[in-house]
Amino acid sequence: MFRPRIGLEIHIRLLTSSKVFCPCPVRYGDEPNSLVCPVCLGYPGSLPVLNGEALRMACLLAHALNCSIAPDLRFDRKHYFYPDMPKNYQITQVSAPLGRDGSLELETGGGKTVSIRQLHLEEDAGKMIHRGNRTLLDYNRAGSPLVEIVTAPELETGEEAELLLRSLRRIVRYLGVCDGNMEEGSMRCDANVSMSPRGVEHSPGAEAPSGDPPGRKVEIKNLNSSRFVRLALDYETSRQREILRRGGRVAGETRLWNEAAGVTEAMRDKGESSDYRNVPETDLPPFPLDPEYLEGVKRQLVELPSPRKRRLVRDYGLSGDAADFLTEEKDVADFFERAAALGADPRTAASWLRSEVRRILNRENLSLGESPLTEKRLVELLGLVREGGIGGGIARKTLEEVFRTGRDPAEIVRERGWEPITRRDALLPVVEKILAAHPKAARELREGKDRALDFLTGMALKETAGRADPGLVKALISDVLKEGRG
Amino acid sequence: MRLIMGKPEKGKPYHIYVEETEKRIGAFREFDPARLRGESAGEGPLSGLPLAVQENIAVRGFRQGCGSRMLEGFVSPVTATAVRRLQDRGAVVAGTTKMEEFGLLRLFPDGVSGKEGGPERENPPGGACSPRDDDHPVGGAASAVAAGMAAVALASDGEGEVRRDAAACGVYGLRPSWGVVSRRGLASVSPSLETVGVVAGTAARVREVFRIIRGRDDGDPCSRDHPADAGPGGRRIGTYRISIEPSGEEAWRAALDSLGRRGFSVREAPPPMMEHWVPVYQALAAAETASSLARFDGVRFGRRSGGAEDPESLVRRARGEGFGIEVKLRILLGTHILRPPWRELFHDRAVSQRAAIRRAFDEYFGEVDMVLLPVSPPSALGGRDGDDHLPGWRNKDRFNLAAALAGLPALSFPVTTGGGRPVGLQLMGPPFGEERLFEAAEALAEDFPPASPPGLGRDWR
């Protein structure tokens, strides 16, 4: 009877080397208040100077989200007194956000596309740390560049919200504008939840219908992982649905996600005014974003995860899951495509990347780019398997050695003497030894129990440390038994 | 090379002269001869020239008090670009000068506002106009120049401070076109209205200094280069028939005569939209002031109040104790007109009217090249003649406001007639029209030579 309308406000911390309006470095974990200057501390007489790198990244993201871009870059001052905010106003974009009317395609979930209402550039605040009865302030973060993205309330479930965040995370990482880490606050999310009666559609951007709607907008904060976003929104939508089902009304309020209890809770009212008394930031003149500049930025766009995934399925015959895995990180997808171009069988390469390579990377806590495994080495390894006849076990050992030593697979195989044993005369003594050692299995095989053949083959492989050609071993076992020697 | 520490053969060394004079004038917030002695003047056209800097403009190592208790003891870690450019040409910062709190002229009688912040009332010896006679203080920058304690002063001009104080002290004061002089280092209260201005004893010195400090500064995104083609040009001067103080009437007529004799064509041409100047200025300045002064909260710098229980009370106390009544009134006004329902009525209308004023001035300066206006003196704002409501006082101040609203350059200059006190008049031109203002002022100086400051000042001419 009621349909949830969920909109997200997402803050993206840009990966610039310096702050958005001053040259202080953007770094985390330094000595508190060591990365500050008169500008980011709001000293009298200090003036903001826009960081071109932050602008470039924001424009890139606006392009990637299909936003229309404002003709001029304009900033406003949004006022509220809070000690972590050096000037007691935030320089942000209210009247003319950098991007409007964009869209974001959810990567799974039926290809749903969510409208982006606006995208704008702004500065972050510092951090307030409470220690007993003391309040400490660290302004290292103050003035770090943020992009805020506001979606239309077109999401209906926690799962969709989680998907949106995952999709956005991939995009910002592809573009290299943010590391996408929600736990560390590189991506922060607030959500708006309201209920509209089913069948009543609103034009995008419209508020709930006037005349005391049953569902007032509830804002939910403290959603610092995409899982919490899903859990909190599922909780909140069912809470609101339950209130409405019983004929009640949902109060418009701000609620916090309580991670421990798994519920949302009304936030203590701080009497905070939502009237920010915005004024134009006259310290920063309107900056025309000329088409040439924007075209230059657009040329830096890379193929985004969703279209790339579709292309990988189409061009390489991969499964959706495999393509999904490969496109999660741009590095991995790039690696995969380079390997395929060097002649690797796409499905085999994808499967190695998804299983063995990922396992080692996770264990060593490395990214593909940092690892000694180059696409050339992977192609060489796959070639050894396909053409050189080395077995899976040897191949896995070789991969481990590549990671350990940073040497080429063929060299490792050669030096370790791991080439496959393919000569009959070399394998025959091994087979004879195995049959002699396992008379029970040999008897069973003679009696027609095929399972015994696998067992004996396995023992032969073990005996040769994986080097024996399994096909040849099987043929030899049959031959020996037929000849009645076993 | 002129040596700042004086020429013994001519009498007292500079710092002795200043120490003695300063006891009577009280222009400086901070003047430190010991520090000066250690300064060696750099080479350049201003080598050794003592520079006074108003205390809301940053000079590294000097207190940047802005005339406010809020910033008691705050020492600036940086030097303003305009100051730096003069230092690079050899000028030496002699000290910082007193000002009204954040440069905001008190619109309420002293009984309400208290007197902290302004300099003493002694008549600067160089100026025939005596601020002591008025109930309003003159900024220390103009006093220091008039008394021969500094060759040049930098001060801010938002609502006319530079021109008003220069006029009161019988010296020259320039408010440059908005954006032409970097505001980096100026503690602006109304960024879109305020500029760094120049005070000096002659128009030539003002021009010399202006040419050094102007131009694009990477530290101020609003700063821009003065266009190369903005030389002197045009001799058509518009005026507006107004009744000014009787003492000013004679000077006004003498100035018109002089300009006519010296080849300027003067005609009656009232500047546009005068009735809007005061309300539009009042609304915009209040809104910007409320915004810009938000950063003063006692948390990171400046006055820290004791006994606060929580961050909110810390901020409340610091602002309650640190700001004077005029500042508080403007913050209240600015805060209110940025909120519904007043926002639309006052602020938003003021924004669009300001745009209309700018357009009207564009048109106006197609017909004339400059406009001659009185400088509204501080005495106009006394609230003594029955005008005991705020718009009434402000209205008398209106001639100083148009330049701020439209970003125009304006130069105030002294006119002395018959041995009386100099009267300050101002010429206002289109954006970047500074050179034509200097040209007219220099022509006028032929007829009204500016008084020589006492002390060592005449060496700096």
Side-chain angles (χ1 to χ4, degrees):
Chain A
M1 181 179 171
F2 290 101
R3 192 166 66 94
R5 290 158 46 84
I6 301 172
L8 302 182
E9 286 175 18
I10 306 150
H11 285 90
I12 304 283
R13 199 156 77 184
L14 295 180
L15 282 174
T16 54
S17 54
S18 59
K19 294 184 180 181
V20 60
F21 298 121
C22 67
C24 290
V26 176
R27 269 203 313 268
Y28 299 91
D30 280 52
E31 177 75 11
N33 298 312
S34 62
L35 308 176
V36 293
C37 74
V39 176
C40 55
L41 288 179
Y43 271 37
S46 63
L47 292 172
V49 178
L50 180 65
N51 174 349
E53 186 62 2
L55 174 62
R56 186 192 66 83
M57 288 183 177
C59 288
L60 196 58
L61 192 49
H63 277 311
L65 298 180
N66 310 303
C67 291
S68 57
I69 295 187
D72 302 304
L73 188 68
R74 286 170 191 271
F75 289 97
D76 299 281
R77 296 177 174 181
K78 177 175 170 181
H79 300 87
Y80 56 94
F81 277 86
Y82 210 66
D84 66 4
M85 179 115 89
K87 300 181 292 294
N88 289 309
Y89 59 78
Q90 179 192 28
I91 304 181
T92 176
Q93 298 186 283
V94 180
S95 56
L98 176 66
R100 277 188 201 275
D101 304 328
S103 60
L104 173 58
E105 184 187 349
L106 304 192
E107 275 158 38
T108 42
K112 178 167 179 165
T113 296
V114 176
S115 310
I116 303 292
R117 275 191 181 163
Q118 71 170 66
L119 174 153
H120 65 258
L121 184 57
E122 62 185 26
E123 59 177 344
D124 206 345
K127 261 188 190 155
M128 228 157 130
I129 303 148
H130 299 283
R131 289 262 184 283
N133 62 349
R134 287 172 159 251
T135 301
L136 304 171
L137 286 156
D138 176 8
Y139 292 103
N140 280 357
R141 199 179 69 178
S144 297
L146 294 179
V147 163
E148 182 177 340
I149 294 167
V150 182
T151 78
E154 294 170 354
L155 300 161
E156 295 187 35
T157 62
E159 192 192 351
E160 282 185 353
E162 186 182 19
L163 270 174
L164 183 136
L165 286 168
R166 268 194 58 200
S167 305
L168 183 62
R169 180 177 182 276
R170 282 193 187 192
I171 290 175
V172 297
R173 289 175 61 89
Y174 262 58
L175 298 174
V177 301
C178 175
D179 65 22
N181 191 329
M182 284 193 79
E183 284 74 12
E184 287 174 15
S186 302
M187 268 175 76
R188 283 171 258 164
C189 179
D190 297 334
N192 295 308
V193 184
S194 64
M195 291 283 169
S196 70
R198 265 208 198 281
V200 179
E201 294 299 326
H202 310 301
S203 57
E207 288 303 313
S210 57
D212 206 11
R216 294 290 176 118
K217 204 163 77 172
V218 172
E219 191 176 0
I220 303 173
K221 290 181 179 285
N222 200 26
L223 302 173
N224 51 12
S225 85
S226 55
R227 198 172 69 91
F228 291 161
V229 170
R230 173 166 53 79
L231 295 175
L233 292 177
D234 285 344
Y235 174 87
E236 182 62 20
T237 48
S238 53
R239 185 187 75 89
Q240 293 191 14
R241 194 176 269 129
E242 184 58 20
I243 292 175
L244 296 175
R245 197 182 57 78
R246 280 192 264 127
R249 294 197 174 279
V250 177
E253 61 185 353
T254 300
R255 298 175 74 84
L256 287 182
W257 169 244
N258 181 331
E259 180 189 334
V263 298
T264 64
E265 294 167 338
M267 207 165 94
R268 191 166 50 88
D269 186 15
K270 285 186 185 165
E272 197 180 290
S273 162
S274 61
D275 176 16
Y276 295 118
R277 308 187 307 283
N278 303 318
V279 291
E281 171 53 282
T282 37
D283 284 336
L284 287 162
F287 177 80
L289 294 166
D290 60 86
E292 216 171 293
Y293 170 80
L294 292 175
E295 269 312 305
V297 173
K298 212 170 186 171
R299 278 195 292 276
Q300 301 167 9
L301 263 188
V302 293
E303 186 184 22
L304 294 173
S306 281
R308 189 169 201 177
K309 191 178 126 188
R310 283 195 294 272
R311 188 171 57 78
L312 292 190
V313 169
R314 193 179 62 231
D315 291 2
Y316 297 98
L318 299 180
S319 69
D321 281 355
D324 197 47
F325 166 76
L326 291 176
T327 51
E328 175 67 32
E329 300 289 342
K330 182 167 176 297
D331 274 4
V332 177
D334 290 348
F335 185 101
F336 165 78
E337 292 211 68
R338 284 194 303 268
L342 288 174
D345 171 60
R347 289 200 218 187
T348 316
S351 130
W352 272 82
L353 285 169
R354 242 179 120 184
S355 52
E356 289 309 310
V357 174
R358 170 159 65 161
R359 189 177 56 77
I360 299 173
L361 289 174
N362 285 349
R363 190 188 67 209
E364 305 292 326
N365 197 18
L366 281 176
S367 76
L368 197 49
E370 299 163 336
S371 83
L373 182 69
T374 59
E375 52 275 9
K376 201 171 140 283
R377 286 183 176 140
L378 180 66
V379 171
E380 192 176 300
L381 181 63
L382 300 186
L384 288 173
V385 173
R386 198 176 57 195
E387 282 137 28
I390 71 166
I394 295 276
R396 281 192 289 275
K397 268 160 64 182
T398 306
L399 183 67
E400 291 279 2
E401 283 300 296
V402 170
F403 272 90
R404 204 177 61 78
T405 63
R407 295 167 70 187
D408 291 341
E411 199 183 320
I412 291 167
V413 167
R414 196 168 52 247
E415 280 194 9
R416 294 297 187 103
W418 286 346
E419 295 101 334
I421 305 171
T422 51
R423 292 199 328 275
R424 281 182 73 94
D425 56 342
L427 274 182
L428 193 56
V430 175
V431 167
E432 285 171 342
K433 187 177 161 200
I434 292 297
L435 288 171
H438 301 283
K440 186 164 164 260
R443 197 172 53 243
E444 284 172 3
L445 183 57
R446 269 194 300 269
E447 289 161 6
K449 289 184 181 165
D450 284 350
R451 248 182 38 225
L453 179 61
D454 291 340
F455 168 76
L456 291 166
T457 308
M459 294 315 291
L461 283 169
K462 197 176 172 191
E463 181 71 20
T464 59
R467 292 172 58 206
D469 177 342
L472 186 56
V473 169
K474 283 182 182 165
L476 281 172
I477 290 174
S478 305
D479 289 355
V480 170
L481 288 179
K482 268 183 215 145
E483 288 163 22
R485 279 188 284 161
Chain B
M1 186 167 93
R2 289 161 286 212
L3 284 173
I4 188 168
M5 295 319 294
K7 300 172 179 173
E9 72 271 18
K10 287 211 170 185
K12 296 170 189 164
Y14 167 71
H15 70 279
I16 300 292
Y17 170 73
V18 174
E19 274 173 7
E20 289 177 5
T21 312
E22 173 63 2
K23 281 191 193 117
R24 291 179 287 113
I25 305 287
F28 285 100
R29 178 68 68 196
E30 207 176 348
F31 177 79
D32 184 354
R35 183 165 8 183
L36 272 180
R37 223 172 266 126
E39 291 264 0
S40 63
E43 293 297 323
L46 306 180
S47 186
L49 217 61
L51 166 69
V53 180
Q54 188 167 273
E55 60 172 321
N56 61 341
I57 299 173
V59 184
R60 192 189 169 97
F62 280 87
R63 290 196 288 271
Q64 191 176 5
C66 300
S68 180
R69 263 179 293 186
M70 182 58 91
L71 283 166
E72 266 170 7
F74 173 72
V75 175
S76 180
V78 297
T79 295
T81 300
V83 175
R84 169 63 59 203
R85 287 184 178 175
L86 294 178
Q87 287 176 325
D88 288 347
R89 302 299 181 95
V92 177
V93 175
T96 54
T97 59
K98 294 177 186 172
M99 64 187 297
E100 288 275 355
E101 186 171 12
F102 290 105
L104 303 177
L105 184 66
R106 293 198 297 262
L107 297 176
F108 275 74
D110 281 348
V112 184
S113 67
K115 293 200 179 206
E116 292 82 7
E120 306 300 318
R121 302 305 160 78
E122 173 109 6
N123 186 7
C129 172
S130 166
R132 185 175 44 180
D133 294 344
D134 302 318
D135 243 9
H136 283 270
V138 159
S143 304
V145 170
M149 295 191 287
V152 179
L154 293 180
S156 60
D157 191 310
E159 49 195 50
E161 305 93 290
V162 158
R163 289 161 286 157
R164 194 170 59 218
D165 294 347
C169 295
V171 291
Y172 289 78
L174 172 71
R175 176 207 160 85
S177 311
W178 191 83
V180 163
V181 176
S182 169
R183 283 188 300 113
R184 181 172 181 270
L186 165 67
S188 290
V189 290
S190 42
S192 85
L193 299 158
E194 221 169 336
T195 62
V196 172
V198 182
V199 181
T202 63
R205 178 69 83 198
V206 173
R207 177 171 52 203
E208 180 186 20
V209 167
F210 168 68
R211 284 179 176 176
I212 292 170
I213 63 175
R214 73 186 176 186
R216 169 77 193 165
D217 167 25
D218 288 340
D220 176 1
C222 294
S223 66
R224 47 193 168 166
D225 279 323
H226 208 248
D229 57 355
R235 299 171 84 82
R236 298 170 300 168
I237 296 180
T239 62
Y240 166 60
R241 191 185 304 280
I242 38 165
S243 73
I244 51 178
E245 295 171 73
S247 60
E249 197 66 37
E250 194 186 342
W252 175 257
R253 270 197 295 273
L256 293 183
D257 288 349
S258 165
L259 285 167
R261 279 199 308 280
R262 295 189 177 273
F264 291 87
S265 73
V266 183
R267 69 180 172 93
E268 177 83 10
M273 298 182 71
M274 290 181 62
E275 69 280 15
H276 295 289
W277 293 355
V278 171
V280 172
Y281 178 85
Q282 194 76 0
L284 295 177
E288 290 192 19
T289 301
S291 166
S292 299
L293 294 185
R295 69 183 61 200
F296 299 106
D297 57 9
V299 174
R300 289 162 308 281
F301 52 80
R303 186 185 183 86
R304 167 71 65 92
S305 306
E309 299 281 316
D310 52 51
E312 194 185 315
S313 70
L314 176 80
V315 173
R316 272 177 195 280
R317 276 167 183 256
R319 290 170 70 82
E321 296 166 11
F323 287 138
I325 186 76
E326 180 65 35
V327 172
K328 286 178 183 166
L329 284 168
R330 298 216 196 184
I331 290 173
L332 280 175
L333 179 60
T335 304
H336 272 85
I337 64 166
L338 285 174
R339 287 199 156 131
W342 315 114
R343 185 181 178 108
E344 213 174 307
L345 268 173
F346 293 103
H347 179 264
D348 295 355
R349 265 174 79 197
V351 169
S352 63
Q353 281 178 334
R354 179 187 200 181
I357 291 171
R358 284 171 184 269
R359 285 193 302 272
F361 264 109
D362 279 349
E363 226 168 273
Y364 179 76
F365 284 118
E367 289 160 22
V368 300
D369 302 305
M370 292 166 267
V371 55
L372 180 71
L373 292 171
V375 174
S376 306
S379 58
L381 292 144
R384 297 168 147 195
D385 51 3
D387 260 342
D388 56 352
H389 56 100
L390 196 140
W393 298 330
R394 188 93 258 189
N395 200 38
K396 293 174 179 167
D397 190 29
R398 68 184 186 278
F399 299 117
N400 297 351
L401 304 180
L405 288 172
L408 309 174
L411 175 67
S412 100
F413 55 92
V415 174
T416 319
T417 50
R421 306 182 344 175
V423 171
L425 301 178
Q426 62 180 322
L427 283 160
M428 190 161 74
F432 310 115
E434 282 86 351
E435 290 297 332
R436 68 182 65 164
L437 307 183
F438 295 135
E439 193 181 50
E442 295 220 288
L444 283 159
E446 301 281 325
D447 288 325
F448 313 107
S452 272
L456 299 179
R458 60 181 68 78
D459 292 343
W460 303 325
R461 287 293 170 88

